[in-house]
Amino acid sequence: MRAYNTCFSMNSDPASVPAARRRVDELTTGWGLSLDEDSTIALRTVVSEMVTNALQHSGGREFTIRLRASPAARRILVEIRDSSAALPRMLPPTDDAEDGRGMWLIQQLALATGAEPTRRGKRVWATIAIPKQPLRCRQFLFRPGRVTRAATARLTGLRRRPISVDAHTN
């Protein structure tokens, strides 16, 4: 299966949060990814929280979002780069706090998260699980042998080719 990768910049403006969600939805739809309700909610929430953190803590005029989807690995990587060198940290939110839950939410919804300094600021990322993707017609056209074997294995339940036994006797 093909992997997808794109990068786009957003202005440091509160309107960037819903705009980033819409852009990610458009990209995943355009790539033909089939997301279930859980992966859709996780992806939208992680994007919202990461963009909100970039707006609140970057101090710059813009930031960059990179989205990498690997359907075969059943993963989408969301990455945000901004100009601030301050790495995010997860603080335990108090019951009456109005904010401070973003990093906790990201860690709960993502398979893996991380942050590291870069030459121009920092990179914050999260990996989201996506469901197994259905076979597409295009795969049949460009890799008919591989796809036919995969379809046959799904239909018959076989994971490996059967061993042929030579029936000659001594």
Side-chain angles (χ1 to χ4, degrees), residues 7-24 27 47 51 54-55 58 60-66 79-82:
C7 186
F8 55 96
S9 295
M10 303 288 296
N11 291 325
S12 290
D13 177 358
S16 294
V17 178
R21 279 194 308 265
R22 280 192 304 274
R23 182 77 186 267
V24 168
L27 287 167
V47 167
V51 169
L55 290 173
S58 72
R61 290 189 288 162
E62 69 178 25
F63 54 92
T64 304
I65 300 174
R66 178 176 298 266
E79 176 183 304
I80 303 235
R81 290 178 183 253
D82 63 44

Side-chain angles (χ1 to χ4, degrees), residues 42-43 46 50 76 103-114 125-129:
L43 183 60
V46 166
M50 290 176 74
I76 294 180
M103 291 307 298
W104 181 85
L105 270 173
I106 292 168
Q107 285 192 330
Q108 298 305 308
L109 295 171
L111 295 171
T113 64
W125 58 269
T127 304
I128 307 298

Side-chain angles (χ1 to χ4, degrees), residues 50-104:
M50 290 176 74
V51 169
T52 299
N53 286 345
L55 290 173
Q56 290 178 344
H57 304 292
S58 72
R61 290 189 288 162
E62 69 178 25
F63 54 92
T64 304
I65 300 174
R66 178 176 298 266
L67 203 63
R68 295 178 186 167
S70 177
R74 298 173 60 185
R75 307 276 188 272
I76 294 180
L77 174 71
V78 179
E79 176 183 304
I80 303 235
R81 290 178 183 253
D82 63 44
S83 60
S84 171
L87 296 176
R89 54 191 175 125
M90 190 169 66
L91 301 173
T94 61
D95 290 340
D96 55 346
E98 291 185 22
D99 58 3
R101 291 173 181 81
M103 291 307 298
W104 181 85

